[in-house]
Amino acid sequence: MYHFGVLESNVHMSWMRTVCGRLKSDYRYTAKVVYNTFPWCTPTAEQKAKIEQTAQGILDARAKYPNSSLADLYDELAMPAELRKAHTQNDKAVMEAYGFSIKDTTEEVCVAKLMEMYQELTVEKG
């Protein structure tokens, strides 16, 4: 559930939008380029539990609409309020685990910090 929460977060989505390829206007998510290069945070036990809780909140909100597709649920204009709220709570939990300021971290700042983390990881592995 922790991994789902991080992957569904605005932190991972920012990384994905920056590093993944495109096929026409669609994102092309690949394990080698996006997933394997993503710098994972090292949360405390409390932070990990919070992310697991907020990730479950996303699934619970989706479950309230069993006849809706993901395309229906994630339509920007028609997204159910409880699903949007669940994602916001998950984003906050993940950003906290990364040590990112919820108020001051734009997507650009988020990606810059993730790139710094990635550089540190690649230097360590040499």
Side-chain angles (χ1 to χ4, degrees):
M1 199 53 63
Y2 161 74
H3 293 102
F4 174 76
V6 174
L7 292 173
E8 284 291 307
S9 73
N10 60 349
V11 173
H12 182 71
M13 294 300 168
S14 296
W15 180 260
M16 185 272 309
R17 283 189 288 272
T18 301
V19 302
C20 79
R22 293 208 181 214
L23 187 59
K24 296 186 181 181
S25 63
D26 297 331
Y27 293 111
R28 187 165 183 224
Y29 192 107
T30 61
K32 283 185 177 183
V33 176
V34 184
Y35 184 83
N36 291 344
T37 63
F38 181 65
W40 289 82
C41 61
T42 51
T44 64
E46 255 181 50
Q47 290 170 330
K48 186 175 181 182
K50 181 67 175 175
I51 293 168
E52 290 170 347
Q53 177 187 4
T54 59
Q56 185 62 54
I58 292 170
L59 295 176
D60 292 345
R62 288 180 182 178
K64 291 180 180 182
Y65 302 91
N67 296 324
S68 296
S69 68
L70 288 175
D72 293 336
L73 290 173
Y74 287 92
D75 179 301
E76 189 59 35
L77 300 175
M79 185 179 198
E82 60 267 31
L83 181 57
R84 189 177 304 275
K85 182 178 179 182
H87 274 282
T88 298
Q89 290 172 340
N90 186 67
D91 291 343
K92 288 178 181 178
V94 173
M95 289 179 75
E96 184 176 289
Y98 274 89
F100 296 171
S101 166
I102 294 165
K103 290 183 179 180
D104 301 326
T105 303
T106 62
E107 183 162 324
E108 184 178 298
V109 169
C110 177
V111 171
K113 290 179 179 183
L114 290 171
M115 286 292 180
E116 288 173 13
M117 292 173 69
Y118 175 74
Q119 286 177 329
E120 289 173 18
L121 289 169
T122 56
V123 167
E124 287 175 13
K125 291 181 181 179

